[in-house]
Every structure is written in C-alpha cells, then in structure tokens.
Amino acid sequence: MRGYASILLLILVAVALPIIILNLSRLLRPSWPSAAKYSTYECGIVTTSEAREKFSVRYYLVAVMFLVFDVETVFLMPWAIQMKELAIFGFIELGLFLFLLLFGYGYIWSKGALTWE
C-alpha cells in the first residue's frame, strides 16, 4: 500500500493545482465589466446577425478538399528524399500517385465543386 502513496499524492496535486490557480487568478484579476466587453468581436466588423447563421455547404467542401489535397502533397516529401534508393519503382509509384491526385482534382472540378455560384 505504501507504493501507491506517491501516485495518490500526484493525483491530489494534479486535481488541486488547477483549482487553486483558477481561484487565485479570479481573486487577483481586475474586473471592469462593460457592454463593449460583452459584445461579439469578429475581425473588427460589427455583427449583423446571430452566430447560428446558415452557410452554404460549398465553404465546407472547399475547406475539406483543401485539407485532403494538402495532406496528400505531404506524402511527396518521403519520395523526394528516397528517390535514388527507389529508382524506377519509386518513379512509377510517384507517377501513379500524382495521376490519382490529378484525377480526383479533375473529378471534383467536373462536378462543379470549385465554382462559387
């Protein structure tokens, strides 16, 4: 049982320390509430509607497509580093990967996912 005393002490410190720090900072901070502090600040633009405004799904599609293609291009770095060791096999695999990447890009372009209408 004595072996678990250090683990219990660590758990107690891990629970107590954030509580102590949060309460201490609440006591020491300056507090001057005003209407301007409670207003929504969005890039310096005065808000005109609620936060739950509906957006077109195209914004999310473009964001997801950017992430997909950005992450896929990260896979080009290991090929570039190991190109001498991979020789012709690496070159063929790289060509296949780029072909599939460009095929996917052409597919989403043909479906109109990149138009802002």
Side-chain angles (χ1 to χ4, degrees):
M1 195 66 169
R2 291 183 69 146
Y4 293 108
S6 59
I7 296 173
L8 181 62
L9 180 64
L10 180 66
I11 291 172
L12 288 175
V13 169
V15 170
L17 192 62
I19 294 171
I20 292 169
I21 290 172
L22 287 173
N23 287 324
L24 190 62
S25 66
R26 185 178 297 141
L27 291 173
L28 297 177
R29 72 175 181 214
S31 178
W32 298 299
S34 67
K37 284 187 178 181
Y38 291 124
S39 68
T40 305
Y41 180 77
E42 186 72 31
C43 301
I45 300 171
V46 179
T47 56
T48 58
S49 63
E50 291 186 22
R52 292 179 178 89
E53 182 180 348
K54 292 184 179 180
F55 289 100
S56 173
V57 74
R58 292 197 185 272
Y59 293 112
Y60 302 109
L61 286 175
V62 169
V64 168
M65 286 185 293
F66 172 76
L67 288 174
V68 167
F69 287 112
D70 193 41
V71 168
E72 285 183 356
T73 56
V74 169
F75 291 123
L76 296 176
M77 190 62 173
W79 270 313
I81 292 172
Q82 297 293 324
M83 198 61 183
K84 286 185 181 179
E85 288 82 12
L86 295 174
I88 193 69
F89 174 75
F91 185 72
I92 292 171
E93 288 292 323
L94 178 62
L96 181 64
F97 178 76
L98 289 176
F99 171 75
L100 290 174
L101 189 67
L102 290 175
F103 179 77
Y105 182 72
Y107 177 75
I108 61 171
W109 191 358
S110 70
K111 291 295 182 181
L114 299 176
T115 58
W116 288 100
E117 296 173 359

